[in-house]
Amino acid sequence: MQATILLATFALEPRRYKAIYYSLQGKQTISNLFASHEYGLLDQFHLYPKLKWNDYQAALSQLEKEKLVIIDQTRAEAKLTSAGLVRQTGLLAQGFWPTAYRYWQMGPAEEQWERLLLAVQVVSNYQHQIVHYQPLTEHLLIQRQVKAWLKKIGTAGGQNFVLELGLALAQLPEQAALIIANSFWSDYDAGIPGPTLAQALSLTPAELQLAQFNSLGLLLSLIRRETLRYPILQQLLPMPQTPLNRSADWTYHQVLTGKSWSAIVTDSRLKEGTLREHLLQAALLCPDFSIEAPAVQQLLKADPESFFSQRVQEIITARSSRTGGEQTQ
Amino acid sequence: MTATNQSTSGSDNGSVTTEQLENELTQRFGFAHFRPGQAPLLQALLSGRDALGILPTGSGKSLLYQFLSPHINGLIVVVSPLISLMADQAGRIRRQNLGKVAVLNSQLTVAERQLVLQQLEQYRFVFLAPETLQQPAVQQRLRQITVGLLVIDEAHCISSWGPDFRPSYLRLGIIRQQIRPQRTLALTATANRRVRQDILKNLRLAATTFVYQASVDRPNIYLRLQTVADETSKWQQTLMLVGQQVPTLIYVATRREAEELTQRLDQQQPGIAAFYHAGLSTSERNQIQQLFLKNQLRVVVATSAFGMGIDKSNLRLVIHYQLPANFESYLQEIGRAGRDGQPALAVIFVMASDQQRLSQRLLRNRLTPGSIQRFFDHPDDPQQLDTNQQGILQAYRQAELPAAQVIAILQTTAELRFQQWQKFWTYLTSTTCLRQQLCDYFDPEPAQLHHSDHCCSQAPTPSLTTVLARLQLAQIASAPPAAARHLRQPAAVLRQLFIES
């Protein structure tokens, strides 16, 4: 991986570099989620699902060699040097860091991106009667999803897809629209190769990928905001109903129904510790987490000094300070 | 060319005549004639025999199993060592509409892999990596269905005497016996006598196996050794070559070098070049292939990841900006040029410092007996091993070889690699006919070639300018000047991609 990209994940204060690695890779444990939350990296969770530990280590070592970070092997922590901070500021000013892409709300970025690009390839090829070709992604599930989407929208839907795309690109910030549109290609129009596009934008190919995700994040926000204008794009790029996995979602749903904690424990047949972890996940990942729910209040009052209570209060306080003191609902 | 039956008891080539096969070739693929070796190999396979085809790059190895598709019952399983190669070959089958195709490799998610395995009977072709074939679930599924043809592509990887030895190929012989394919076809572009023996032995192929080995000689490719004093001189001469305005492939050693050289070329002439390496996504690789095949991109700067399975027939110029790892890679890579049979040029740059640099690299990459033993004792502790070294040792562990045997194998292969490199260096510094040397090294019965002005040369005489003037490559197939690819406005992109209603 491009070492300098890692600079965006570190700060002047020491950070646990393993937690950052697992966060980028998307290893979902409470500990990693908390670290991601603490470091402001929750949205970038799962950004590099295929990242290998050796490559990550090599990138970190390179940053250390260039005196951009200081690594404390004993504590397994790393922090930016002042030169590293300057470099980080410069990099972030380039605007490629995917701040607009929210993993928990939008799903895996790479999959959404491939769905969009494949849909463009398929519709363009279809319109130009190119029947036999290699799909631009090898991911079978994505191929099947796009095929199912195409079947659902029908022949006329293809043209509506193009109209929606045009409309959405016109509504996006100019740079994001340029990046998305110039990433499209089909067997009829082979477009611009990624490296050339990166060069035209004064980015490296690795930075371009992040810029693409960022632009995609803006597009997804738009189509989520204006549901009536973009029905076909919404069908193509479905976003998760909830950021929680099935079991955590069940637990949180029970909490929202107003059940007492003891009733939830009895109904679930899971360990209490596991259920509390589910609630912590919900507190971390659901922006509208209901702290007022009876079960949550019960737990907070039962032991205000417990790990659970402390963490929930931290999350709510941090969120409240980010939203100007108002509780997000 | 050499065609042999491993045993005198082997049957003849079956009842299908070359003429019949050629008729089908024309109808289904649009070619009038087979390339050397294709017809006898097909005849052998159609008569039910296993076969080993040693055919040079560009001789249409993949056509063999594509052709056989309607002639055999059951699935065609193709074992292939590179993910990019699998994707390329699968893509070609899809484009030609030859049947349903699946690719099974580490890039699939667990759910995707299960889906393919569940529906295996529905596919006509399945490409998989040798590592994937080692998985019990995959083997079990293959045993449940009829495998009509097992193709071992790049079969030289099975030989520890070959330069690309892959330990994961070692168990293919046992697996082959377990999945019981009706026929087996082993394919490679390069195999000397020893490698050929290893392929037959390790794949446990019967004595009746039909073997065809073609000469590596490609008379339409002019070979040129270009000794240069330094990097500046190399760069200037590269610019001169690229200035020929013909489809060009430049090989470099690393991903970073591919990116840097592309950037330099692009600064000279925007939009002229793109880089290609295994670090790109499937989508990016496909896009670059598309542009290159459609002559919308004139130069590709690539690592060895490029080319396998990519048939760009009018490639006129192959430049080795950096030396390939060995003779075999060199031969494969220059073979991408001039597939249309028209004249092409293969230039390899050589600097005096290359010898020491590459020798040291070989020595540095050697695994010591101590580090091998440590890995086997503590496989979870990677010590100072790089990813590649870990992968090699992991594959040996999976092949259930004891540490002592692995140490012996790796010591032998390291020495062998060094010898192979020395032989290649001898070639790179030689003054005799380059084509003859290639044939002498690779062909089992090398012919005496007639050296001429249109054959090969070493710098300084004749000069590279003279060679270029003599070959007139641009007159054969000049690539239209690549359109400078500036960013297009979104509306313009959509207009280009889609038909307006």
Side-chain angles (χ1 to χ4, degrees), chain A residues 54 124 127-128 132 134 136 139-141 144 159 181-182 185 187-190 192-193 195 197 199, chain B residues 87 91 94-95 97 112 116 263 266 275 283 287 290-291 294 390 485-488 493 496-499:
Chain A
N54 282 349
S124 171
Q127 289 192 346
H128 294 98
H132 303 297
Q134 183 171 11
L136 56 73
H139 285 284
L140 285 179
L141 292 179
R144 283 165 69 101
Q159 198 54 46
N182 283 285
W185 68 274
D187 296 70
Y188 179 74
D189 174 31
I192 305 176
L197 176 57
Q199 207 174 6
Chain B
R94 284 191 192 109
R95 281 191 291 273
N97 194 26
E112 286 173 333
V116 173
Q263 203 174 353
D266 221 62
F275 60 82
S283 166
Q287 189 186 15
Q290 282 287 332
L291 287 160
K294 290 181 172 180
Q390 284 177 48
R485 283 180 300 280
H486 301 299
L487 290 185
R488 293 180 291 179
V493 174
Q496 189 63 36
L497 280 163
F498 304 107
I499 296 169

Side-chain angles (χ1 to χ4, degrees), chain B residues 215-223 338 341-345 435 439 449-450 452-456 471:
Chain B
S215 168
V216 298
D217 188 31
R218 295 274 304 276
N220 65 318
I221 304 175
Y222 187 99
L223 305 174
Q342 296 290 315
L345 170 63
R435 188 180 311 287
C439 292
L449 303 178
H450 171 66
S452 75
D453 284 350
H454 293 279
C455 173
C456 57
L471 290 171

Side-chain angles (χ1 to χ4, degrees), chain A residues 50 52 54-55 62 111 114 117 119-121 123-125 127-128 130-144 158-159 161-163 165-167 169-170 174 177-178 181-197 199-201 205 208 212, chain B residues 86-88 90-92 94-97 102-103 107-109 111-113 115-116 119 123 256 259 262-264 266-267 271 273-275 280-284 286-291 294 296-297 382 385-387 390 485-491 493-494 496-501:
Chain A
K50 291 174 195 155
K52 289 183 179 149
N54 282 349
D55 294 338
Q62 193 186 323
E111 286 178 23
E114 288 191 351
L117 261 56
V120 168
Q121 183 195 24
V123 174
S124 171
N125 284 354
Q127 289 192 346
H128 294 98
I130 299 169
V131 186
H132 303 297
Y133 56 90
Q134 183 171 11
L136 56 73
T137 174
E138 282 294 322
H139 285 284
L140 285 179
L141 292 179
I142 293 176
Q143 288 178 15
R144 283 165 69 101
Q159 198 54 46
F161 167 65
V162 179
L163 291 174
L165 260 186
L167 191 63
L169 291 174
E174 191 185 352
L178 272 178
N182 283 285
S183 303
F184 292 155
W185 68 274
S186 72
D187 296 70
Y188 179 74
D189 174 31
I192 305 176
T196 310
L197 176 57
Q199 207 174 6
L201 295 163
L208 172 67
Q212 286 168 328
Chain B
M86 280 184 243
D88 292 339
R92 198 186 293 186
R94 284 191 192 109
R95 281 191 291 273
Q96 294 176 355
N97 194 26
V103 177
Q107 297 212 318
L108 296 191
T109 62
E112 286 173 333
R113 191 186 317 222
L115 193 71
V116 173
Q119 303 178 340
Y123 292 100
R256 179 181 285 191
E259 294 178 15
T262 304
Q263 203 174 353
R264 289 176 75 186
D266 221 62
Q267 280 161 2
F275 60 82
L280 297 177
S281 65
T282 311
S283 166
E284 288 170 322
N286 287 347
Q287 189 186 15
I288 289 168
Q289 282 172 32
Q290 282 287 332
L291 287 160
K294 290 181 172 180
Q296 291 170 1
L297 184 67
L385 301 174
D386 63 34
T387 317
Q390 284 177 48
R485 283 180 300 280
H486 301 299
L487 290 185
R488 293 180 291 179
Q489 285 304 311
V493 174
L494 298 187
Q496 189 63 36
L497 280 163
F498 304 107
I499 296 169
E500 285 183 73
S501 59

Side-chain angles (χ1 to χ4, degrees), chain B residues 252-307:
Chain B
V252 292
T254 66
R255 295 177 186 184
R256 179 181 285 191
E257 282 155 342
E259 294 178 15
E260 286 174 357
L261 188 60
T262 304
Q263 203 174 353
R264 289 176 75 186
L265 286 168
D266 221 62
Q267 280 161 2
Q268 296 287 322
Q269 199 175 329
I272 187 184
F275 60 82
Y276 185 105
H277 56 59
L280 297 177
S281 65
T282 311
S283 166
E284 288 170 322
R285 285 203 306 267
N286 287 347
Q287 189 186 15
I288 289 168
Q289 282 172 32
Q290 282 287 332
L291 287 160
F292 199 41
L293 290 172
K294 290 181 172 180
N295 293 324
Q296 291 170 1
L297 184 67
R298 191 148 58 76
V299 182
V300 170
V301 185
T303 61
S304 55
F306 186 88

Side-chain angles (χ1 to χ4, degrees), chain B residues 133 277 330 385 464:
Chain B
L133 192 55
H277 56 59
Y330 171 68
L385 301 174
L464 192 54

Side-chain angles (χ1 to χ4, degrees), chain A residues 26-47:
Chain A
K27 193 173 177 188
Q28 199 173 333
T29 64
I30 274 291
S31 160
N32 292 332
L33 288 177
F34 267 110
S36 307
H37 170 72
E38 189 187 337
Y39 302 155
L41 295 173
L42 263 183
D43 286 338
Q44 285 78 39
F45 200 81
H46 197 267
L47 191 57

Side-chain angles (χ1 to χ4, degrees), chain A residues 62-103:
Chain A
Q62 193 186 323
L63 293 179
E64 188 185 35
K65 215 178 278 175
E66 292 174 22
K67 300 196 186 326
L68 298 172
V69 297
I70 295 167
I71 298 174
D72 180 344
Q73 296 284 7
T74 326
R75 298 175 63 89
E77 288 178 341
K79 62 177 182 181
L80 291 179
T81 61
S82 46
L85 183 67
V86 171
R87 192 76 177 273
Q88 183 202 54
T89 311
L91 276 171
L92 294 179
Q94 285 180 272
F96 66 79
W97 187 245
T99 49
Y101 198 91
R102 303 189 194 295
Y103 169 74

